[in-house]
Amino acid sequence: MSSLSEQLTPALDIDARLTEIERRVNLLVNLTPLNAAEAWADFERSDFSTAPTLRLRPLDFDPDLTHRELYDLEVEKVEDPALHTLFRAKRDEITRQITALEDRDTSRFLYGSLQLYGTVAPPLASAAEELLEAIPPQAPSTQTVTAGAFADAARAEFERYRELYPEFPVHVEVRDDVADLMVSFGHLLIPESAAFRADRVEPLLHHEVGTHVVTYQNGARQPLTLLTIGLPGYDETQEGLAVLAEFLAGGLDPRRLRVLAARVVAVGKMLEGAGFLDIFESLRADHHIPARTAWSIAVRVVVGGGSVKDAIYLRGITRILDALAEGSRLEVLLVGKLSLDHIPLVQDLLDREVLQEPWIRPRWLDVPGAQERLEKLRAGATVTDLYEKGMAA
């Protein structure tokens, strides 16, 4: 084992450098509007007639120097073929992230987003439309909890993990400079102005803490630190896994499925050239999405100049369902943040004992009914079945 570690030392040095550079670039936070709460208030006062002006934070790194630093890494000297391929792909992905951030609020940004996350293929668009037609609209929930109350629930969830894994760190922050609930490098960030549906608190905790934080911490226990920030193209699988967590925990309700489908439809409309107001009105008029939800979806789609990222949630769970039906093991996806496409590479590293089995087992695998739901999915399911089977669960 020691000789293997020595053999991999040059590769692990490059892995650490790539991880540090992506942390500095911080794509997620740098595409989060700083003024979302004020923009919503202005939009509401205008009777939904004036498109918002979204303000993004200045970049706190030098793009030119960071590009140079990336290409100074001697990836060509990594002898392990799998790691060599992986590092080249990750370097390319970080380069695209930097270029996308440089292109924020220009017409070029959309092309960068497409390179990072892909487009909406016809089967995905059809699945989204089918979900929106199959699931009847429901009135907005009147029972909500504040950001502070959600933070308390999140800290309690972290403590549940700490009971089994005492070294599991707790990082929960209520922030006035983020627009959406998110996990950034293992930290759960909660928008100060947010209100959360009371019946969505537990599913959201399984999504954010039980998936995004758990896979981050599992990755942090591995020698390959890229498993904390994500192997190339990991986002789609990670979000699909998080949606699966909601379903297995019994919390993927019809409203949530409609939102995931509406995100795909909104991305599709943006790609056809629709602006914020057209997307917002279409979500409300054509698909009966509540105003506040339609606003959130439209903002996420137009931010920066046009983002296709929100299509990955429905695409991700679709690919997860296919993988389950083909017999894939979920445990491999818990080693850290990786794509379904990387399962053979990660399994090879596990077999060679370069990587270890996951440190933490997420709670959503063990809630009552989870294994029964999982077995149903292994028999074969589509995203529309999640609505039907979710109602039957």
Side-chain angles (χ1 to χ4, degrees):
M1 187 63 185
S2 59
S3 60
L4 180 60
S5 298
E6 290 172 8
Q7 178 185 338
L8 291 176
T9 295
L12 297 181
D13 288 344
I14 290 177
D15 159 73
R17 293 281 303 282
L18 287 168
T19 300
E20 188 275 326
I21 293 170
E22 180 158 323
R23 282 174 172 271
R24 202 186 320 149
V25 171
N26 205 343
L27 183 72
L28 184 62
V29 167
N30 279 317
L31 288 177
T32 299
L34 290 169
N35 63 327
E38 297 90 340
W40 162 250
D42 292 342
F43 186 59
E44 196 174 27
R45 278 194 296 269
S46 77
D47 197 25
F48 309 140
S49 64
T50 304
T53 299
L54 301 172
R55 184 164 49 86
L56 300 173
R57 71 198 70 221
L59 299 181
D60 60 0
F61 66 93
D62 186 307
D64 290 338
L65 292 178
T66 308
H67 277 301
R68 187 184 308 162
E69 188 176 351
L70 277 170
Y71 283 94
D72 280 344
L73 298 178
E74 296 180 325
V75 174
E76 68 278 1
K77 292 187 177 179
V78 175
E79 296 180 359
D80 186 290
L83 293 179
H84 180 266
T85 301
L86 179 67
F87 293 164
R88 286 192 64 193
K90 189 64 186 179
R91 182 174 62 185
D92 179 67
E93 183 178 69
I94 299 172
T95 297
R96 293 178 190 277
Q97 291 177 359
I98 296 168
T99 301
L101 290 176
E102 289 183 282
D103 290 341
R104 293 180 305 175
D105 297 328
T106 74
S107 59
R108 299 186 302 276
F109 177 81
L110 173 58
Y111 301 106
S113 182
L114 284 165
Q115 287 181 324
L116 287 168
Y117 301 113
T119 191
V120 175
L124 183 65
S126 297
E129 294 283 358
E130 185 178 340
L131 275 172
L132 289 170
E133 291 174 10
I135 304 173
Q138 298 182 14
S141 175
T142 57
Q143 293 184 317
T144 61
V145 301
T146 64
F150 186 87
D152 290 340
R155 292 186 186 98
E157 181 70 4
F158 274 90
E159 290 302 328
R160 292 186 190 97
Y161 279 99
R162 284 177 61 81
E163 289 176 8
L164 295 174
Y165 310 96
E167 296 177 20
F168 189 77
V170 178
H171 299 296
V172 180
E173 302 174 32
V174 178
R175 301 260 295 258
D176 63 2
D177 63 342
V178 296
D180 294 295
L181 185 66
M182 68 176 72
V183 170
S184 178
F185 306 127
H187 292 238
L188 179 63
L189 309 182
I190 304 168
E192 186 178 59
S193 61
F196 301 90
R197 275 173 43 198
D199 58 352
R200 284 286 299 154
V201 171
E202 185 173 358
L204 282 172
L205 293 177
H206 287 302
H207 182 118
E208 304 292 349
V209 180
T211 307
H212 295 329
V213 175
V214 162
T215 52
Y216 178 89
Q217 294 300 338
N218 281 343
R221 288 291 178 116
Q222 303 291 350
L224 197 65
T225 61
L226 284 178
L227 286 165
T228 61
I229 60 168
L231 302 188
Y234 84 96
D235 303 80
E236 178 184 292
T237 299
Q238 180 79 180
E239 296 300 350
L241 189 64
V243 173
L244 176 71
E246 296 181 44
F247 177 79
L248 295 184
L252 190 62
D253 66 8
R255 286 193 187 98
R256 173 63 165 164
L257 275 171
R258 292 193 101 247
V259 167
L260 299 183
R263 288 177 177 178
V264 173
V265 169
V267 169
K269 290 194 69 66
M270 182 270 293
L271 290 174
E272 293 170 358
F276 176 87
L277 291 177
D278 288 337
I279 295 170
F280 174 80
E281 284 302 330
S282 174
L283 291 173
R284 289 213 305 166
D286 300 338
H287 302 294
H288 309 288
I289 303 295
R292 188 67 178 84
T293 304
W295 148 270
S296 176
I297 293 170
V299 163
R300 291 165 65 108
V301 167
V302 303
V303 70
S307 172
V308 298
K309 183 183 178 183
D310 269 8
I312 69 175
Y313 293 80
L314 200 64
R315 190 166 67 225
I317 185 61
T318 299
R319 289 197 63 199
I320 290 280
L321 293 177
D322 291 342
L324 287 173
E326 293 166 3
S328 291
R329 293 191 311 122
L330 281 180
E331 288 74 15
V332 180
L333 296 178
L334 301 175
V335 166
K337 297 183 183 293
L338 61 137
S339 163
L340 284 167
D341 298 330
H342 294 128
I343 287 179
L345 181 149
V346 170
Q347 188 61 59
D348 170 61
L349 294 173
L350 285 167
D351 292 343
R352 288 193 279 148
E353 298 185 347
V354 175
L355 299 180
Q356 309 162 15
E357 292 296 327
W359 172 42
I360 303 164
R361 178 180 171 87
R363 285 201 323 113
W364 47 263
L365 278 173
D366 298 315
V367 298
Q371 289 303 313
E372 290 80 359
R373 294 185 184 97
L374 184 57
E375 288 309 309
K376 290 180 184 179
L377 299 185
R378 289 193 183 283
T382 66
V383 288
T384 306
D385 292 329
L386 292 182
Y387 168 58
E388 297 165 355
K389 293 181 179 180
M391 296 297 286

